[in-house]
Structures are given as structure tokens and as C-alpha cells.
Amino acid sequence: MVFNGMVVGLFFLFQIVFGVLGNSFLLGLYTIIFFIGLRVRPIDLILCHLAFVNNLVLLSKGIPQTMVTLGLNNFLNDMGCKFVFYLHRVTRGLSLCTTSLLSGFQAITLSPRSSKLSKFKVRVPKCMALFCLLCWTFHLVTNYYYFLYFKAQMGSNNTTERIDLIYCTATIDVLFNYALYVLIISLPDVFCIVIMAGASGYIIFVLYRHHQRVQYIHGNNLTLIRSPETRATQITLLLVCMFVSFYSLNSVLILHLQFGKPIFWLIHVSTFLSACFSACSPFVLIVSDSQIPKCILILWNRINVMG
């Protein structure tokens, strides 16, 4: 059992280090680009925000879970449990909100001039900071219940049902409506997923129509040139597919853990899945975004000139 715990702990540790390095690289790169005066794309603010909240997701959930698997128990008091679960839930919601914002932004950017969405092309980039602020405000306010129901490991009384979460517990009133509880938690997430699905479907439709039009004009032997907008759109679609896949699997496990008997290895799997997108997404951006190598080259040339 000790050996198995160490192996699981090493998996969590690798995931944290792997993801934090990737997200921190993107954060550092975008910060340097901003301060040295290079051209900043509107999408860069969204990607920078996504990298920041992904780091918080990895740290808020991965570190406590790693400590538990390595044999450290009862290391959080009541306030520590409340804060850790609150921070993870807020940042997880922000990651979902930011990804849906990214997909919506790409749908508007790619929309043809004849579309009703085209009139938002100029307005939306100016509102990116406001959208991010609204996401923070919404999730900070709506997740307050984590300060009510989450506590450190301790005995329960007769008026509450105790859900064991390994290093913390959740105490929920028996009279509390479970269906309403799930609805309150899931409704914002479902709304963001719907935005992602709608924006992704619209993007695929626009790209398909554009590809057909170009082939009709130039013939079937044309090799379609991938514009920066098309590349950014394909990256967004890949990120959305990754997020929805990991989110769906994790949601199934969470529902099973809430309505069934908690199983420790399922809790570990659920935690690992909840952080997979945060750990993998920066490397998808680094490998796929052609702007990043160009920015690194410009920064390297400037450093050499200064040296």
C-alpha cells in the first residue's frame, strides 16, 4: 500500500511540475512580450489568463493530493480545507469559462462579413479584460458554499451526512435537496459547455464553407494555405475537445462519488483527470501556435543586441 501510494504521488508530482512549467513559460513569454512593446494579439490576453488559472488548478488540487498519497494525513485544518476546495472550484470554473470565452472569440473572429457576428469583431477585443473580470467575480461569489460545508477530517453528528474526501470532509444537511445542489453547481458549467459546443460547431461550418468556396474557385488541386486565423482556430478546437473530454470523464466520476460510496482510487483518478487539461494545454499552444517561435526568436535577437 505504501509503495502504491508513492507511485500515485509521483504521478501527481510529475503532472504538477509538467503543467506548471508549461503554463509558467507561457505566462513569462506573454508578460515579456507586453513589457517590451511587441504586438500583442487580442487572443493573447485570453491565453495568458488561461495559463494563470491553469497553474492555480494544478497547485490547489495537485499539491494536497500528492501529500496524501505520500502518507501525510490531517495536514489541513478547517480553514485550510475550505480555502483549498474553494480555490480549486473557482479556478476550475475559471478555466472552463476562459476556454468557452476563447472558443466564442475565435467564432466571432472567423465569422464572415455577411454574418451577424461580424459586427462584434471590433468590440469584443476591447472587452476581453472586462469579460475576465466578470468571470472572476461570478465564480468567487457563487462558490461561497465551500466555506459552509467543507471541514477537516473529524467526526460527524446526526444532523449531517459526511462525505469523505481523503484529507477533508463535506458535511451536507440530510434535508438538503441533492438534485438542487447538483443543479446549482452544474448550471454554469453546462452553460459554458453549450457555448463551447455552439462556437466549435459554427467554426467548423465556416471553415468547411470557406474550403468549399476556395476549391470551387481554384480547382480541386489547390492546397489550402493555413492562415494565422485558421491555425489559431484549429488550436482552439483542439483545446475545446481536450477540455470537454477530460471534463466529461471527471464529471461522471464526481457524480458517482457524490451519490455512491466513495472509493479512494476513484478519488485519485478524478483528481488526476481534473488537472489533465491544465497540465497539457500549454504544450498544445507551444507546439501549435506559430506566433510563439517567432516571439522567442525576436526576444533572442533583442537579447543578443543588448548583450
Side-chain angles (χ1 to χ4, degrees), residues 50 54 95 99 239 242-243 246 273-282:
L50 182 62
N54 280 343
S95 182
T99 308
L239 290 176
M242 285 175 53
F243 193 100
F246 290 130
L273 286 175
S274 67
C276 276
F277 175 79
S278 300
C280 297
S281 60

Side-chain angles (χ1 to χ4, degrees), residues 243-262:
F243 193 100
V244 172
S245 299
F246 290 130
Y247 179 85
S248 301
L249 290 173
N250 187 43
S251 296
V252 171
L253 289 180
I254 289 175
L255 287 174
H256 177 76
L257 292 171
Q258 286 184 346
F259 293 104
K261 184 178 179 181

Side-chain angles (χ1 to χ4, degrees), residues 124-140:
V124 169
K126 299 177 181 179
C127 300
M128 283 298 129
L130 178 61
F131 288 151
C132 292
L133 179 61
L134 289 175
C135 286
W136 273 95
T137 303
F138 176 80
H139 287 286
L140 287 172

Side-chain angles (χ1 to χ4, degrees), residues 26 29-30 33 39 41 43-44 47 226-235 283-298:
L26 286 179
L29 181 63
Y30 290 133
I33 289 173
R39 177 179 173 270
R41 301 170 299 173
I43 197 175
D44 289 343
L47 297 178
R226 295 178 64 197
S227 65
E229 292 80 8
T230 303
R231 283 194 294 267
T233 300
Q234 291 172 343
I235 296 169
F283 296 96
V284 173
L285 294 171
I286 291 170
V287 172
S288 304
D289 193 346
S290 62
Q291 292 291 95
I292 291 179
K294 293 178 182 178
C295 292
I296 294 174
L297 182 61
I298 293 172

Side-chain angles (χ1 to χ4, degrees), residues 102-291:
L102 177 64
S103 60
F105 173 79
Q106 286 302 111
I108 293 173
T109 302
L110 204 66
S111 60
R113 294 181 180 180
S114 59
S115 172
K116 294 181 180 180
L117 292 177
S118 61
K119 62 183 179 181
F120 297 105
K121 285 186 179 182
V122 178
R123 301 177 187 176
V124 169
K126 299 177 181 179
C127 300
M128 283 298 129
L130 178 61
F131 288 151
C132 292
L133 179 61
L134 289 175
C135 286
W136 273 95
T137 303
F138 176 80
H139 287 286
L140 287 172
V141 172
T142 55
N143 288 288
Y144 74 94
Y145 59 85
Y146 277 90
F147 284 99
L148 301 177
Y149 298 116
F150 282 75
K151 296 182 179 180
Q153 288 281 6
M154 59 178 62
S156 60
N157 50 50
N158 295 328
T159 62
T160 58
E161 182 178 344
R162 181 169 174 265
I163 301 176
D164 191 354
L165 299 172
I166 300 183
Y167 54 90
C168 291
T169 59
T171 54
I172 303 174
D173 291 340
V174 174
L175 298 178
F176 196 87
N177 191 318
Y178 273 105
L180 182 61
Y181 172 75
V182 173
L183 180 63
I184 293 172
I185 295 175
S186 302
L187 192 59
D189 292 357
V190 171
F191 178 72
C192 289
I193 292 291
V194 169
I195 292 177
M196 282 188 200
S200 300
Y202 178 76
I203 288 171
I204 293 172
F205 172 75
V206 171
L207 289 177
Y208 176 73
R209 289 288 300 273
H210 176 70
H211 181 69
Q212 279 191 325
R213 191 178 301 114
V214 172
Q215 276 193 333
Y216 176 77
I217 296 172
H218 296 279
N220 293 327
N221 294 326
L222 174 70
T223 301
L224 185 62
I225 299 174
R226 295 178 64 197
S227 65
E229 292 80 8
T230 303
R231 283 194 294 267
T233 300
Q234 291 172 343
I235 296 169
T236 301
L237 290 175
L238 180 57
L239 290 176
V240 168
C241 291
M242 285 175 53
F243 193 100
V244 172
S245 299
F246 290 130
Y247 179 85
S248 301
L249 290 173
N250 187 43
S251 296
V252 171
L253 289 180
I254 289 175
L255 287 174
H256 177 76
L257 292 171
Q258 286 184 346
F259 293 104
K261 184 178 179 181
I263 303 174
F264 282 178
W265 71 268
L266 280 181
I267 296 177
H268 290 318
V269 172
S270 174
T271 303
F272 188 83
L273 286 175
S274 67
C276 276
F277 175 79
S278 300
C280 297
S281 60
F283 296 96
V284 173
L285 294 171
I286 291 170
V287 172
S288 304
D289 193 346
S290 62
Q291 292 291 95

